[in-house]
């Protein structure tokens, strides 16, 4: 069947499309820096672990970038993967390449495909749909890549939107420094979602195929409240509450607004992979982070612009478009004021290489 069992999840709002000042295309340099830092790891993974004997039979080598957004980062990633695979095939006939660009159906695929490199060595196709459900036929994909995507949950945990629940997250937009019940609700949603993600990929990836995940997360054993991403979201939440106190937005709407993102630890992911049982963990490694040399105002502006590119769709749906400029101007100012606090926040980006096990 074309559609096997899928997780029930509503469509999310993707990264801001187009090529305007606040677009993801122009405000994803940090993510590109992380992907660039992981290029050597991706190349090494293909060189060491891509099993030519298993993958010799297909005439077409199929690659997927899940959570591709609108470029240009995805094109750089795909180019690196293709070059590494070509090198791996150097003593064999190089196959044709088919690359699927996957993201939500509301992703700006028009901008993505208008930006496709003219010198590409692959056939490009869009693959719209949530990766928390099936996207491809059984045993059809040889290499899956996903960077800065699986931290997004399929949905906000239902408990934290229920006023009668002990997990109701009143006055906050994320789980940082929230009640333990809120944190547990996010943890449970993550555990369910990551199992669906792994289950679906296990059906789609051929035996011996590889999957690379680049994930923003937190060090093992680090409380969520001490992580840099949580501090960043908490600050954005205070800006919304300030606007609610001024009567610019509804306080009730803030109470019902939560960001569906969870920052996992490497250990949490490893536990999920072992529970799934279809993949072997070939490598887990922390990706070194480059330090920005920009001055404080520029750092604040860059961070606020990156956050706007990622969350504008969600915020606009809840509060309307008219608040965006004021909200992110306030956010930029607060980042400058609170920047020393950010220095204490702990955060990592980590690389995970998984290989599809042979079926029994």
């Amino acid at each position: 069947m074309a559609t096997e069992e899928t997780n029930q999840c509503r469509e999310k709002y993707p990264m801001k499309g187009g090529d305007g000042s606040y677009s993801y295309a122009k405000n994803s340099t940090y993510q590109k820096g992380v992907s660039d830092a992981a290029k050597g790891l991706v190349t090494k993974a293909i060189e060491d672990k891509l099993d030519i004997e298993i993958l010799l039979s297909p005439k077409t080598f199929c690659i997927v970038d899940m959570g591709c957004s609108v470029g240009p980062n995805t094109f750089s990633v795909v180019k690196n993967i293709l070059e590494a695979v070509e090198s791996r095939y150097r003593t064999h006939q190089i196959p044709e390449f088919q690359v699927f660009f996957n993201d939500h159906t509301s992703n700006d695929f028009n901008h993505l495909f208008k930006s496709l490199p003219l010198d590409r060595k692959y056939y490009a196709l869009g693959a719209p749909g949530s990766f928390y459900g099936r996207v491809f036929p059984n045993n059809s994909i040889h290499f899956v890549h996903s960077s800065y995507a699986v931290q997004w949950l399929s949905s906000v945990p239902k408990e934290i939107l229920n006023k009668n629940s002990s997990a109701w997250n009143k006055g906050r937009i994320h789980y940082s420094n929230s009640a333990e019940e809120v944190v547990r609700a996010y943890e449970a949603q993550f555990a369910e979602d990551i199992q669906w993600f792994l289950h679906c990929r296990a059906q789609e990836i051929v035996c011996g195929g590889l999957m690379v995940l680049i994930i923003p997360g937190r060090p093992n054993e680090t409380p969520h409240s001490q992580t840099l991403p949580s501090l960043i979201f908490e600050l954005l939440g205070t800006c919304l509450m300030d606007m609610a106190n001024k009567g610019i937005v509804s306080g009730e709407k803030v109470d019902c607004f939560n960001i569906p993102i969870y920052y996992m630890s490497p250990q949490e992911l490893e536990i999920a992979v072992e529970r799934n049982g279809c993949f072997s963990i070939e490598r887990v490694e922390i990706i070194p982070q480059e330090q920005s040399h920009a001055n404080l105002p520029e750092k604040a502006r860059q961070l606020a612009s990156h956050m706007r590119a990622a969350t504008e769709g969600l915020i606009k749906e809840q509060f309307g478009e008219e608040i965006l400029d004021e909200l992110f101007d306030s956010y930029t100012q607060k980042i400058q004021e609170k920047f020393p606090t950010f220095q204490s926040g702990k955060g990592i980006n980590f690389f995970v290489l998984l290989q599809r096990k042979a079926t029994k």
Side-chain angles (χ1 to χ4, degrees):
M1 294 177 63
T3 55
E4 199 180 284
E5 69 275 10
T6 59
N7 189 12
Q8 296 298 314
C9 59
R10 64 183 180 87
E11 182 67 16
K12 288 286 172 265
Y13 296 90
M15 306 298 99
K16 185 170 176 60
D19 59 357
S21 300
Y22 300 114
S23 65
Y24 186 80
K26 290 189 175 176
N27 292 282
S28 55
T29 53
Y30 178 80
Q31 292 91 328
K32 184 179 188 307
V34 176
S35 292
D36 286 349
K39 276 184 177 180
L41 294 171
V42 174
T43 300
K44 184 70 172 170
I46 292 169
E47 180 182 317
D48 292 347
K49 296 297 180 179
L50 184 60
D51 190 335
I52 293 297
E53 295 305 315
I54 291 177
L55 303 178
L56 270 180
S57 54
K59 295 180 180 179
T60 304
F61 189 94
C62 294
I63 298 166
V64 181
D65 189 25
M66 295 199 133
C68 64
S69 191
V70 295
N73 297 356
T74 187
F75 304 134
S76 175
V77 164
V78 167
K79 183 175 184 291
N80 183 55
I81 293 170
L82 255 68
E83 289 175 350
V85 174
E86 283 182 332
S87 177
R88 185 72 178 89
Y89 270 98
R90 59 186 173 270
T91 58
H92 301 79
Q93 182 178 355
I94 295 176
E96 292 186 302
F97 292 102
Q98 191 166 48
V99 176
F100 295 94
F101 294 94
N102 161 259
D103 214 309
H104 292 293
T105 57
S106 50
N107 184 56
D108 190 353
F109 283 103
N110 284 336
H111 180 78
L112 176 74
F113 288 117
K114 284 178 183 177
S115 306
L116 275 169
L118 297 177
D119 61 347
R120 65 188 181 277
K121 299 179 180 179
Y122 54 87
Y123 297 97
L125 293 93
S130 169
F131 54 45
Y132 290 122
R134 285 292 301 276
V135 184
F136 302 101
N138 286 335
N139 303 314
S140 61
I141 304 300
H142 302 97
F143 192 97
V144 169
H145 175 277
S146 186
S147 177
Y148 263 71
V150 295
Q151 76 274 15
W152 287 91
L153 300 174
S154 68
S155 62
V156 173
K158 293 178 181 178
E159 305 95 307
I160 67 176
L161 301 176
N162 182 355
K163 293 182 180 180
N164 298 318
S165 169
S166 59
W168 185 38
N169 203 25
K170 178 179 171 61
R172 297 181 181 276
I173 68 168
H174 201 228
Y175 55 79
S176 174
N177 285 318
S178 293
E180 185 61 31
E181 290 86 351
V182 176
V183 177
R184 285 202 297 267
Y186 266 91
E187 289 174 342
Q189 187 67 55
F190 157 74
E192 179 182 342
D193 285 349
I194 198 64
Q195 283 305 316
W196 272 105
F197 178 85
L198 294 169
H199 170 73
C200 292
R201 302 297 80 76
Q203 313 310 306
E204 298 164 349
I205 298 173
V206 301
C207 293
L210 301 177
M211 179 158 60
V212 163
L213 305 176
I214 297 173
I215 304 171
R218 72 185 200 282
N220 291 332
E221 311 301 330
T222 299
H224 291 282
S225 59
Q226 295 179 16
T227 64
L228 177 58
S230 293
L231 294 173
I232 290 171
F233 277 112
E234 184 177 11
L235 194 62
L236 182 61
T238 65
C239 293
L240 281 168
M241 283 306 299
D242 289 346
M243 296 180 82
N245 292 334
K246 294 175 183 176
I248 299 171
V249 299
S250 161
E252 186 174 348
K253 283 191 172 182
V254 177
D255 292 341
C256 296
F257 179 70
N258 288 266
I259 303 289
I261 282 182
Y262 181 83
Y263 290 98
M264 70 190 84
S265 66
Q267 186 177 54
E268 283 177 300
L269 184 67
E270 290 168 15
I271 290 170
V273 172
E274 302 221 347
R275 179 183 170 197
N276 169 265
C278 295
F279 294 93
S280 59
I281 302 172
E282 299 297 327
R283 189 168 187 177
V284 178
E285 188 162 330
I286 306 301
I287 301 170
Q289 293 179 255
E290 275 191 32
Q291 297 299 316
S292 171
H293 299 295
N295 58 34
L296 180 54
E298 180 61 17
K299 285 180 181 178
R301 187 201 65 77
Q302 288 176 351
L303 178 53
S305 295
H306 278 63
M307 282 289 286
R308 181 166 180 169
T311 61
E312 179 175 306
L314 288 165
I315 293 169
K316 184 166 65 173
E317 175 68 12
Q318 181 76 352
F319 302 102
E321 188 172 7
E322 60 277 4
I323 76 159
L324 290 171
D325 288 342
E326 183 174 349
L327 171 63
F328 283 99
D329 284 347
S330 170
Y331 187 52
T332 303
Q333 183 177 342
K334 281 201 174 189
I335 291 172
Q336 289 192 59
E337 294 170 358
K338 301 289 186 180
F339 201 82
T341 305
F342 285 1
Q343 309 276 33
S344 65
K346 299 176 182 178
I348 57 171
N349 296 296
F350 61 101
F351 169 95
V352 180
L353 173 63
L354 305 178
Q355 186 162 43
R356 180 65 171 92
K357 293 178 180 178
T359 53
K360 295 180 180 180

